[in-house]
Amino acid sequence: MSESVTITDNRTGESIEIPIVNGGVDAAEWRKLLPGIWFADPGLATTASTTSAITELDGENGILRYRGYPIEQLAENSTFLEVAYLLVYGDLPNQAEHDAWIEDITTHTYVHENYRKRIFDAFHYDAHPMGLLTSGVAGLSTFYPEAKDIEDPENRLQQTVRLIAKMPTLAAAAYRHRLGQPFVFPDNNVDYPTNFLRMMWQIGGPYELDPALQKAMEILLILHADHEQNCSTTAARVVGSAHADPYSSIAAACAALYGPRHGGANEAVLNMLDEIGSYENVDAFIESVKSGEGRLMGFGHRVYKNFDPRATIIKNAAYDVFEVTGKNPRLDIALKLEEAALSDDYFVSRKLYPNVDFYSGLIYQSMGFPTEMFTVLFAIGRTPGWLSHWNEMIEQNSRIARPRQLYTGPEVRDYKPLSAR
Ligand code: CMC
């Protein structure tokens, strides 16, 4: 059996055989046989936009691996910053590399005071923190104009460190702006999740974090750290392919993540659970989804068609968090919703299963995060993934992203003056 496909142009009888390499066929070969005939693929559902050595995702078998390491092992044994190193460099660090990386990240956590104050003060008190974060990240490009030199690998690494380090600072600042509370400066003597949660919540006296919540935060960040060519990563790559600086590219990723079909889904799950209101209303809600009145948020995935391995890990982590915080009152509704959907042919036949967002919102809420912060947490976690892909794309010397379209608009027509229309 030949590992190839043959395409025949029935208009001319000409054929071309294209080898299957890494599970894909080269569109350049297609273009040779069929110039001007475009591959119609809305949502790029059948298009591999790149080769990538970062994350392996097998949706049929529920497999997710960063640089070859199973997500389950990383969530159990690693830390977010170690995983960030793995994504960025391609390998786990040895002790010396690990220590240097942690030192590097923790000495770049501060954001220029004038900038932080001025940019966040420009927003209304109830501005959504994703709006602040997206603008905050984009604006950093004006602080580090040298970031434009994207051809220099050392320079790219410098901006990568800065962004991973500063995301929690910007995120916490966005949160406290909303509350009208004074900003808490980063503490470079504590680990990444502890520093972030302290900046979020410390008021007055010392801040102490329960180790179970610290671990849960590490796990949540690790689970979100990368997910190959998802919508926001693609947004970063598309903008980066124009050779925009990394801050502009990552701001584009933040903007994509903000959408309720992507990073906004966990916020939407909580709103949905509130709307359902009680255990008794679950069946009626399921019926309304089936009749097309809305989607069951936190269910379904473009790639995972059996289960989302992140959802399994997160469900277990949820119980560890609830031991400390007490059970989230919405948990019973969520569990019944999950049970009802998993035994309903509508969801089963469409291969709709809980995704990472179904339980993450419940954890975040129990830890004290308001729903508006959920996508911000996702963005902090995804930053190393976005930057690894951006870096990989530059290294690949990729072409500018510029898809084609199939034009379906009017034929040519002559302009008529307003009085003649
Ligand atoms: N509830 C009810 N029906 C659904 C859902 C859902 N959550 N998701 C898909 N469907 C139906 C959809 O109506 C369609 O039915 P039909 O064939 O009868 O028209 C079928 O399933 C296929 O849906 P699709 O829109 O073609 O699927 P997609 O691959 O384009 O969309 C998705 C994937 C994640 C956007 C979608 O499942 C969804 O909107 N889910 C809810 C939002 C959500 O939880 N998003 C978080 C994704 S995980 C986080 C991340 O990685 O970003």
Side-chain angles (χ1 to χ4, degrees), residues 227 260-263 265 289 294-302 305 310 346-347 350 352 355-357 378:
H227 215 224
R261 283 176 162 188
H262 189 13
V289 170
R295 288 197 166 190
L296 179 51
M297 300 313 286
F299 261 67
H301 200 274
R302 170 62 59 81
K305 296 301 174 194
R310 302 168 302 169
Y346 175 94
F347 298 93
R350 288 171 177 77
L352 301 171
N355 59 46
V356 67
D357 289 322
F378 193 156

Side-chain angles (χ1 to χ4, degrees), residues 46-237:
T46 321
T47 296
S49 58
T50 182
T51 56
S52 180
I54 300 172
T55 287
E56 186 183 0
L57 206 172
D58 175 349
E60 286 304 321
N61 296 307
I63 287 172
L64 174 62
R65 299 181 190 133
Y66 298 158
R67 303 281 191 185
Y69 292 99
I71 190 68
E72 293 80 4
Q73 290 182 25
L74 293 172
E76 192 176 337
N77 303 308
S78 192
T79 62
F80 174 64
L81 283 190
E82 187 179 59
V83 167
Y85 184 100
L86 172 68
L87 290 168
V88 170
Y89 286 95
D91 258 320
L92 285 171
N94 62 27
Q95 190 68 51
E97 290 163 340
H98 177 270
D99 295 350
W101 173 247
I102 304 291
E103 166 81 10
D104 222 6
I105 299 283
T106 48
T107 48
H108 284 91
T109 49
Y110 276 62
V111 173
H112 194 290
E113 252 312 82
N114 291 350
Y115 175 66
R116 183 193 61 75
K117 276 201 207 129
R118 286 217 211 111
I119 189 156
F120 284 178
D121 280 355
F123 285 85
H124 204 45
Y125 74 93
D126 60 355
H128 195 288
M130 270 310 281
L132 273 71
L133 185 74
T134 307
S135 309
V137 170
L140 281 179
S141 69
T142 63
F143 260 85
Y144 303 112
E146 73 276 17
K148 288 189 190 343
D149 183 10
I150 54 148
E151 305 289 352
D152 174 7
E154 279 304 311
N155 189 16
R156 290 203 299 273
L157 187 60
Q158 171 78 353
Q159 315 316 322
T160 298
V161 166
R162 279 185 175 142
L163 259 166
I164 295 173
K166 292 182 201 315
M167 286 299 269
T169 313
L170 289 173
Y175 170 70
R176 293 186 78 111
H177 171 80
R178 195 174 171 82
L179 294 186
Q181 286 180 355
F183 174 63
V184 174
F185 288 101
D187 178 350
N188 292 348
N189 296 308
V190 295
D191 61 73
Y192 193 88
T194 305
N195 174 48
F196 170 55
L197 297 179
R198 193 188 66 83
M199 286 192 290
M200 286 283 297
W201 285 314
Q202 186 176 40
I203 296 181
Y207 176 76
E208 280 191 26
L209 178 62
D210 189 291
L213 300 188
Q214 194 276 351
K215 176 68 183 162
M217 200 67 224
E218 294 273 20
I219 292 175
L220 285 156
L221 292 171
I222 290 170
L223 295 186
H224 286 91
D226 195 39
H227 215 224
E228 50 121 300
Q229 311 306 320
N230 57 87
C231 179
S232 54
T233 301
T234 300
R237 289 186 69 117

Side-chain angles (χ1 to χ4, degrees), residues 3-64:
E3 281 295 302
S4 66
V5 294
T6 300
I7 298 165
T8 305
D9 183 347
N10 292 329
R11 299 166 305 175
T12 60
E14 266 184 81
S15 284
I16 192 164
E17 186 180 352
I18 313 181
I20 300 172
V21 180
N22 293 329
V25 290
D26 189 351
E29 294 299 315
W30 166 287
R31 274 202 301 273
K32 273 188 214 159
L33 177 70
L34 298 163
I37 304 284
W38 308 119
F39 198 66
D41 186 19
L44 306 179
T46 321
T47 296
S49 58
T50 182
T51 56
S52 180
I54 300 172
T55 287
E56 186 183 0
L57 206 172
D58 175 349
E60 286 304 321
N61 296 307
I63 287 172
L64 174 62

Side-chain angles (χ1 to χ4, degrees), residues 197 201 209 212-221 223-224 266-267 269-270 273 310-331 334 355-371 373-374 377:
L197 297 179
W201 285 314
L209 178 62
L213 300 188
Q214 194 276 351
K215 176 68 183 162
M217 200 67 224
E218 294 273 20
I219 292 175
L220 285 156
L221 292 171
L223 295 186
H224 286 91
N266 50 17
E267 182 174 347
V269 170
L270 261 281
L273 294 175
R310 302 168 302 169
T312 316
I313 300 169
I314 243 171
K315 195 172 171 182
N316 293 334
Y319 287 102
D320 294 341
V321 169
F322 298 156
E323 291 228 337
V324 180
T325 61
K327 193 175 87 175
N328 189 311
R330 288 162 191 80
L331 179 65
N355 59 46
V356 67
D357 289 322
F358 194 67
Y359 284 103
S360 62
L362 288 174
I363 302 185
Y364 293 147
Q365 192 177 50
S366 296
M367 288 175 79
F369 289 104
T371 46
M373 282 299 286
F374 293 180
L377 298 168

